[in-house]
Amino acid sequence: MAEYTLDVTTGSMTHAGTFDNMYVTLIGTEGESERTNLTNFGLDDKTGKVGTYSVTSLLSLGCLLLLKLERDPFHESPQEDWFCSKIVVRTREEDETIFPCYTWLSRGETVWLRGGRATKAFEDFHPQLADQRRKELLKQKLIFKWEKYEEGMLYILNIQDPNAIPAEIRFSFSKAFQFKYLKEQMEAELKLKGLINSTEHWKSFEAMKGVSWFKKSPLSEYVSEHWKDDDFFGYQFLNGVNPFVIQRCSKLPANFAITEEMVKPFLANGSSLTAEMEKGNIFITDYKIMEGLPTRVIDGKTATVTAALCLLYLNPEKKLLPIAIQLGQQPSEDNLIFLPSDLESDWLLAKIFVRNADTIHNEFISHYLRTHLLAEVFTIATLRNLPTIHPLHKISIETDGQMELLRRGLSQTTYASLCPHENIAARGLESIPNFYYRDDALRLWNIINSFVKAIVPYYYPSDSEVSADFELQEWVTEIFYYGFLRNVDSGIPSSFQTVEELIKFVTMVIFTSSCQHAAVNIGQFDFLGWIPNGPLSLNHAPPTTKGQSSMETILATLPNKSSAGRSMAILWQLSIKYEDSVPLGTYPEQRFDEPAALQMIKDFQAELSSLNVAITKRNADLELPYINMNPTKIENSITI
Ligand code: FE2
């Protein structure tokens, strides 16, 4: 008689337990066990509980291949799903195999679990394993289908009914609850402050602060005090929520109508623009990508989006200051160059138009397209092509205008631009001082890369193993096809030949879905919650004259009361830390049981922990700490 002891773990989330009957059948190379009822009247299947059961067989089952887990279709209690985390099977000889499950099971549902070391398809020695692998992918491909988002845009998940997605992949119950609670709380507050439908404009910045400013963070308070400062304006291009537009300028674009005389007063004594460009002290932000986008009508007025150009100077005190702004791509008599020496309200207004362009760029390109939509492509490709036993699976404006902006953004999204070393080098920002995004992003990339460099060769010891893994090849082909529309110029590979290629690509996928998202997501409320610093819409066209504006002009240009209140509320909801957040490098789901892989995860966590200490120490000496890429704040993947 062979006896197997099973430790069955129920998930620790709310409502994970059940009172229903469960049946397990163990399948080995030498035969199958009895179909065994696990439940002692359901009492052991409460949330977070580990129940221990025994499964027997007349003869040894040989090497364990699969575990079949069934939920009884009939029961008197009301229907409730059960979340099974994992089942650990022990033999009399104390050999242990973990069968990860991490699935919600409905009444009558059956799942087939695989245990042990991760395998590639060609390593599945037994026909039953190969068969189960094929069936798992067939089922996944029926659930997760690609859908064309829009012409010229990447593909997304075809989803008619969110409830058709398996519950373990949906928003968690706790997150959905917290999100809904926050939304209701914000709505009530906006109503109370009279901000729900008010088309009125603010009378003063003090009034704006007094009424709309009901959520605060230390950083957002700093922003509300410093948003008019040139120094802070320049700082944000490096360490705000969108450090992706600025680049070194060694030659002025032909359409940026600046003369030496215009900017000379703002450069070091006796210096010239040409000399400062040669020294590498001149930088530019160019929002050409916004040119000619159709915009919405807000309160009877057509909103404007400004394809602005802004020139910045790194002064001898190492401060990055704006020295000229042109609010449009085509130079003309109406398209003036604004300078720091202009009337205070003219200069401030010009900077607000740049902040507006930068905020739109951040939300649509840097945030939505280059993290959310790309991560969706990576996820769909993973779910469709890699079975759970696969090694990689385990690591884990107006509508037309918006779409056009996303299309333009996608056409400029290259493999190199998604890898921070190459991205920063291409923009000539390797040595600009006080660029904390760069410092943290490069260190994070290196830490993730070291982890991937350890774990990938453990499963792929040679290049031939990479090229022979057809599941892996289909995975990257789908990303190339559906995420980058077969654009060879993107540099995204359509297949992998070497272990090295695979390591770089997996590093990019992890970095994009965790660190890069944190860089654009975490600071949204901090930097943009004070609406004048990050308006998503403006009510007037860019000024075409100088000397005629005032603070009243600025207040009339900024979003009205209800737009400002709503934007602030949404940014708050998106930026807070949710209770079920999982930090980078932590794997609550125990999918690995190989000691070598577990050690690699521990090393990865230790590296992240050291980086946390280093960032905290650096931040202690900064007037404005850069916290967006602290590993303790970065989530393992995108959740909001
Ligand atoms: Fe996000």
Side-chain angles (χ1 to χ4, degrees), residues 406-562:
L406 291 171
R407 246 179 243 125
R408 293 178 193 178
L410 182 65
S411 70
Q412 293 173 12
T413 301
T414 59
Y415 192 13
S417 73
L418 295 169
C419 301
H421 284 90
E422 291 159 67
N423 180 311
I424 285 161
R427 293 191 284 141
L429 302 178
E430 299 99 320
S431 58
I432 187 170
N434 311 322
F435 190 11
Y436 310 116
Y437 162 79
R438 169 198 59 208
D439 300 345
D440 296 354
L442 296 186
R443 280 189 281 185
L444 280 160
W445 173 277
N446 293 344
I447 290 171
I448 294 169
N449 191 241
S450 299
F451 171 55
V452 179
K453 245 181 198 158
I455 212 153
V456 166
Y458 178 71
Y459 293 105
Y460 294 90
S462 67
D463 293 345
S464 58
E465 303 241 341
V466 170
S467 48
D469 184 351
F470 67 86
E471 288 170 346
L472 182 73
Q473 300 295 345
E474 278 179 27
W475 177 68
V476 72
T477 302
E478 285 207 352
I479 292 172
F480 175 68
Y481 188 100
Y482 294 107
F484 295 86
L485 310 180
R486 291 182 285 177
N487 175 13
V488 179
D489 293 341
S490 70
I492 290 286
S494 56
S495 66
F496 295 127
Q497 313 306 325
T498 65
V499 178
E500 205 184 327
E501 285 170 6
L502 177 59
I503 289 170
K504 184 178 172 186
F505 196 80
V506 172
T507 305
M508 181 278 287
V509 169
I510 298 176
F511 181 84
T512 302
S513 315
S514 56
C515 309
Q516 197 76 323
H517 179 254
V520 296
N521 193 68
I522 289 176
Q524 285 183 99
F525 179 78
D526 287 338
F527 282 93
L528 312 175
W530 174 244
I531 300 301
N533 189 55
L536 269 167
S537 63
L538 293 174
N539 300 309
H540 292 296
T544 52
T545 53
K546 286 191 185 184
Q548 291 176 0
S549 72
S550 63
M551 283 301 158
E552 283 69 41
T553 322
I554 290 176
L555 287 162
T557 304
L558 286 168
N560 65 28
K561 289 185 174 179
S562 100

Side-chain angles (χ1 to χ4, degrees), residues 15-253:
H15 306 314
T18 182
F19 289 100
D20 283 11
N21 290 317
M22 306 299 156
Y23 298 93
V24 158
T25 312
L26 294 175
I27 296 118
T29 46
E30 306 299 323
E32 287 188 19
S33 73
E34 295 277 317
R35 180 174 180 262
T36 309
N37 186 348
L38 291 187
T39 320
N40 305 323
F41 306 107
L43 293 178
D44 279 348
D45 297 323
K46 283 190 287 191
T47 292
K49 202 76 197 267
V50 182
T52 301
Y53 309 91
S54 175
V55 173
T56 53
S57 161
L58 274 179
L59 296 167
S60 165
L61 300 174
C63 179
L64 285 182
L65 298 174
L66 293 163
L67 186 155
K68 184 181 177 189
L69 177 62
E70 297 168 82
R71 230 184 116 174
D72 197 331
F74 309 107
H75 203 274
E76 288 157 10
S77 66
Q79 160 82 324
E80 273 172 7
D81 285 355
W82 171 52
F83 189 87
C84 174
S85 296
K86 61 178 179 181
I87 299 180
V88 179
V89 181
R90 273 195 313 279
T91 63
R92 268 202 189 129
E93 296 75 34
E94 293 296 311
D95 284 341
E96 205 175 91
T97 310
I98 298 176
F99 289 81
C101 181
Y102 302 103
T103 304
W104 287 96
L105 270 87
S106 309
R107 196 165 280 169
E109 198 173 340
T110 299
V111 288
W112 294 78
L113 306 180
R114 286 202 47 179
R117 183 189 155 101
T119 62
K120 302 178 281 285
F122 58 79
E123 292 168 326
D124 277 346
F125 64 95
H126 198 278
Q128 256 186 292
L129 291 181
D131 188 49
Q132 185 275 333
R133 192 175 191 112
R134 205 179 51 247
K135 282 182 182 151
E136 183 185 334
L137 286 186
L138 274 175
K139 186 177 158 203
Q140 291 292 92
K141 282 182 178 169
L142 281 177
I143 302 172
F144 302 102
K145 290 182 186 153
W146 294 106
E147 180 179 296
K148 200 172 203 173
Y149 190 4
E150 281 282 336
E151 201 52 50
M153 265 303 287
L154 44 64
Y155 285 65
I156 55 170
L157 181 65
N158 175 321
I159 171 178
Q160 310 303 333
D161 171 15
N163 290 323
I165 298 179
E168 56 276 8
I169 293 172
R170 271 180 254 152
F171 248 32
S172 71
F173 175 79
S174 65
K175 175 165 274 145
F177 182 80
Q178 206 184 348
F179 193 80
K180 189 166 171 274
Y181 172 75
L182 271 175
K183 191 167 180 276
E184 283 167 5
Q185 196 194 30
M186 284 295 192
E187 292 275 331
E189 192 110 32
L190 289 173
K191 215 176 219 171
L192 193 73
K193 309 265 182 195
L195 297 176
I196 284 279
N197 291 316
S198 174
T199 54
E200 267 181 48
H201 286 280
W202 298 97
K203 296 273 185 295
S204 67
F205 291 111
E206 287 65 38
M208 192 186 286
K209 223 174 214 179
V211 180
S212 77
W213 201 226
F214 53 86
K215 291 286 181 201
K216 286 177 194 152
S217 68
L219 277 178
S220 66
E221 289 205 72
Y222 181 96
V223 172
S224 72
E225 295 297 324
H226 294 270
W227 69 282
K228 293 179 187 168
D229 301 350
D230 283 0
D231 182 7
F232 178 67
F233 178 84
Y235 169 94
Q236 291 185 85
F237 290 117
L238 296 174
N239 302 306
V241 278
N242 195 31
F244 307 108
V245 180
I246 188 166
Q247 51 182 309
R248 193 179 290 273
C249 177
S250 48
K251 188 172 179 286
L252 273 185

